[in-house]
């Protein structure tokens, strides 16, 4: 199911490099949230654990390392050496099951555990459809649908990226999706977040950072300063590239308080991942204009549960106002006639020191999105954060 160490999203590697440089001793704990309350079949945890064990044998080879150095010049030689020596440690992943309820906890040094999230979710998704006996639609029908989506997006001038690794139907279907879309004349597929497939198809790997980057910084100095601290830390490692800021870790209201003219000019744009995309666009237009920044010089990357229709609606609204780009995920890689899983794995807590004990020095982390239904974390910690932000 996971056949390469690069079968992962680019932003896990960009964040890993930053963690290695800035927080090499930090520890992290991630937890699965089953938002859809999907019951898993008997023996599911054991099946997933078996796939996780296989990942211990994955390693970066010399060809992959040379490709990364050439394609992603923001990766330093030191980091590529680190990645060459890296190996997944399955002991960091605990998977248990009680009847239909699945529990997944990932724990260890942050620089190591950061790569587990996406492939573990992909394994859970593919294993679920295999064990529940849910075959995809006919291959010809899926290919027709894939190519039709690419054609419609191209005809409307919409640049988009595949963001669908984590909830894909299968690794094989993911690969076929990209092949189908690349076969469309004049396609506007700008790349994929999946580094392995970017290399396989000769297209751009795309990604910057995820919510966990900001969540970690909240543990250092509270939710109110998390965005500012996270942006300052990020630009230490990537001062001139990967400049898309993530807005909704502690609501866009809180983010914009810290998104000063200095940051707004330095970052090439922002990513919208929850809430109303049109209301968000209006807010960003007003914010840039208030800072005397031409919105047409900036980009919004939309990535919240997109399908083709929603993407076209947003594009029509943005046209001529601000640059727009789209990360489309599950509706590309798992549109095969089944109901995709609604699962996430998020940073639950972290500790700044490598020798942190089981309960000492650990700080709970939370995410407060622009959609309250996407809040993650312990209830007490969420309430504390809400109070701290006066929300």
């Amino acid at each position: 199911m996971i056949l390469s160490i690069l079968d992962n999203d680019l932003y896990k590697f960009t964040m890993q490099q930053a963690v290695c440089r800035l927080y090499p001793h930090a520890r992290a704990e991630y937890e699965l949230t089953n938002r859809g309350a999907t019951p898993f079949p008997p023996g599911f945890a054991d099946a997933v654990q078996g796939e996780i064990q296989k990942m211990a044998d994955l390693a970066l080879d010399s060809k992959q390392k040379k490709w990364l150095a050439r394609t992603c010049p923001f990766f330093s030689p030191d980091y590529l050496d680190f990645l060459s020596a890296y190996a997944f440690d399955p002991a960091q992943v605990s998977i248990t099951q009680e009847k239909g309820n699945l529990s997944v906890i990932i724990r260890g040094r942050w620089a190591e555990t950061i790569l587990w999230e996406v492939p573990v979710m992909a394994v859970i998704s593919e294993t679920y459809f295999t064990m529940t006996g849910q075959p995809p639609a006919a291959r010809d029908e899926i290919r027709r649908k894939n190519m039709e989506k690419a054609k419609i997006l191209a005809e409307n001038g919409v640049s988009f990226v595949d963001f669908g690794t984590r909830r894909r139907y299968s690794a094989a279907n993911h690969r076929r999706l990209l092949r189908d879309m690349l076969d469309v004349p004049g396609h506007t597929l700008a790349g994929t977040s999946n580094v392995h497939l970017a290399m396989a198809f000769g297209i751009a790997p795309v990604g910057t950072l995820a919510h966990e980057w900001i969540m970690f910084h909240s543990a250092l100095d509270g939710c109110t300063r998390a965005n500012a601290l996270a942006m300052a830390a990020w630009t230490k490692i990537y001062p001139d590239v990967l400049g898309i800021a993530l807005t909704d870790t502690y609501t866009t209201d809180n983010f914009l308080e810290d998104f000063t003219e200095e940051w707004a000019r330095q970052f090439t744009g922002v990513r919208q991942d929850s809430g109303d995309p049109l209301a968000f666009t209006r807010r960003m237009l007003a914010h840039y204009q208030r800072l005397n920044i031409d919105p047409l010089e900036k980009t919004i990357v939309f990535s919240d549960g997109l399908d083709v229709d929603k993407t076209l609606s947003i594009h029509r609204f943005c046209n001529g106002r601000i640059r727009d780009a789209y990360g489309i995920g599950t509706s590309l890689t798992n549109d095969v006639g089944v109901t995709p899983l609604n699962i996430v794995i998020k940073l639950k807590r972290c500790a700044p020191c490598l020798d942190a004990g089981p309960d000492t020095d650990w700080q709970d982390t939370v995410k407060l999105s622009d959609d309250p239904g996407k809040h993650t974390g312990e209830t007490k910690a969420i309430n504390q954060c809400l109070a701290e932000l006066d929300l």
Side-chain angles (χ1 to χ4, degrees):
M1 294 181 183
I2 306 295
L3 302 178
S4 164
I5 198 169
L6 297 183
D7 190 6
N8 206 330
D9 285 345
L10 179 66
Y11 70 7
K12 302 305 292 190
F13 298 104
T14 55
M15 288 191 296
Q16 185 182 49
Q17 174 172 249
V19 171
C20 288
R21 290 271 299 278
L22 299 177
Y23 310 111
H25 302 304
R27 289 170 61 84
E29 181 176 300
Y30 299 81
E31 184 177 44
L32 172 75
T33 298
N34 182 3
R35 287 175 174 166
T38 302
F40 293 92
F44 188 81
D46 290 340
V48 172
Q49 193 72 64
E51 293 296 327
I52 298 303
Q53 285 297 137
K54 296 176 185 176
M55 291 175 60
D57 296 328
L58 300 176
L60 191 75
D61 62 33
S62 59
K63 182 179 179 181
Q64 291 170 325
K65 185 177 181 181
K66 290 177 181 177
W67 179 85
L68 282 173
R70 183 176 65 254
T71 308
C72 305
F74 43 80
F75 286 143
S76 70
D78 285 348
Y79 171 66
L80 293 178
D81 287 343
F82 169 86
L83 192 59
S84 295
Y86 176 89
F88 284 106
D89 179 3
Q92 294 172 335
V93 184
S94 172
I95 305 175
T96 58
Q97 183 175 0
E98 184 176 347
K99 296 184 178 179
N101 298 317
L102 186 71
S103 172
V104 178
I105 299 290
I106 302 166
R107 187 172 183 176
R109 193 160 74 99
W110 193 22
E112 298 170 356
T113 55
I114 197 167
L115 292 191
W116 277 113
E117 173 199 352
V118 174
V120 168
M121 288 181 65
V123 165
I124 290 172
S125 183
E126 184 165 352
T127 301
Y128 174 76
F129 293 111
T130 299
M131 289 189 68
T132 55
Q134 299 185 54
R139 170 64 187 138
D140 288 349
E141 172 60 20
I142 295 173
R143 177 172 168 81
R144 183 201 63 76
K145 189 185 296 186
N146 291 341
M147 296 182 74
E148 181 65 17
K149 290 176 184 178
K151 181 181 177 182
I152 292 171
L153 292 167
E155 289 173 346
N156 285 275
V158 178
S159 176
F160 71 102
V161 173
D162 153 47
F163 271 18
T165 303
R166 64 191 59 214
R167 299 184 193 95
R168 64 193 182 191
Y169 176 80
S170 68
N173 184 66
H174 194 175
R175 184 183 214 40
R176 288 192 291 261
L177 164 87
L178 292 175
R179 179 70 280 154
D180 293 345
M181 292 192 148
L182 290 170
D183 283 345
V184 173
H187 70 82
T188 50
L189 176 66
T192 174
S193 62
N194 187 291
V195 183
H196 168 64
L197 293 176
M199 180 178 176
F201 286 101
I203 58 179
V206 180
T208 51
L209 56 86
H211 295 100
E212 68 180 282
W213 182 254
I214 300 105
M215 293 166 72
F216 174 83
H217 287 86
S218 75
L220 295 182
D221 198 21
C223 297
T224 56
R225 286 183 41 78
N227 284 302
L229 287 174
M231 286 187 286
W234 189 253
T235 53
K236 284 182 181 177
I237 309 301
Y238 305 108
D240 304 311
V241 294
L242 305 179
I244 297 293
L246 184 54
T247 62
D248 69 333
T249 309
Y250 298 110
T251 74
T252 297
D253 286 340
N254 175 256
F255 170 81
L256 290 179
E257 290 180 8
D258 288 326
F259 201 50
T260 61
E261 181 178 355
E262 176 187 1
W263 291 125
R265 290 192 183 280
Q266 179 156 358
F267 280 84
T268 57
V270 296
R271 178 158 71 93
Q272 188 268 343
D273 197 49
S274 63
D276 182 335
L278 303 190
F280 176 87
T281 302
R282 293 187 190 98
R283 294 201 63 191
M284 290 310 307
L285 288 169
H287 190 75
Y288 282 129
Q289 290 164 352
R290 189 161 48 248
L291 299 176
N292 295 313
I293 296 172
D294 183 357
L296 288 173
E297 296 177 355
K298 300 298 178 180
T299 300
I300 300 178
V301 178
F302 296 91
S303 61
D304 180 25
L306 299 179
D307 57 22
V308 170
D309 289 341
K310 186 175 180 180
T311 297
L312 293 179
S313 175
I314 298 170
H315 177 66
R316 285 192 289 267
F317 185 81
C318 291
N319 193 28
R321 298 180 177 186
I322 193 166
R323 297 174 183 173
D324 55 324
Y326 300 87
I328 309 178
T330 309
S331 69
L332 293 185
T333 59
N334 204 339
D335 187 10
V336 298
V338 301
T339 300
L341 295 178
N342 187 1
I343 57 173
V344 294
I345 292 177
K346 292 294 183 184
L347 185 67
K348 181 181 181 181
R349 56 182 186 157
C350 56
C353 299
L354 185 62
D355 58 355
D359 299 306
T360 59
D361 298 321
W362 287 85
Q363 299 288 324
D364 287 339
T365 58
V366 302
K367 172 178 172 284
L368 306 179
S369 77
D370 291 328
D371 176 358
K374 288 188 172 183
H375 290 355
T376 61
E378 298 293 335
T379 301
K380 181 179 178 181
I382 289 175
N383 289 336
Q384 288 176 341
C385 188
L386 288 168
E388 185 178 337
L389 298 174
D390 195 26
L391 296 174

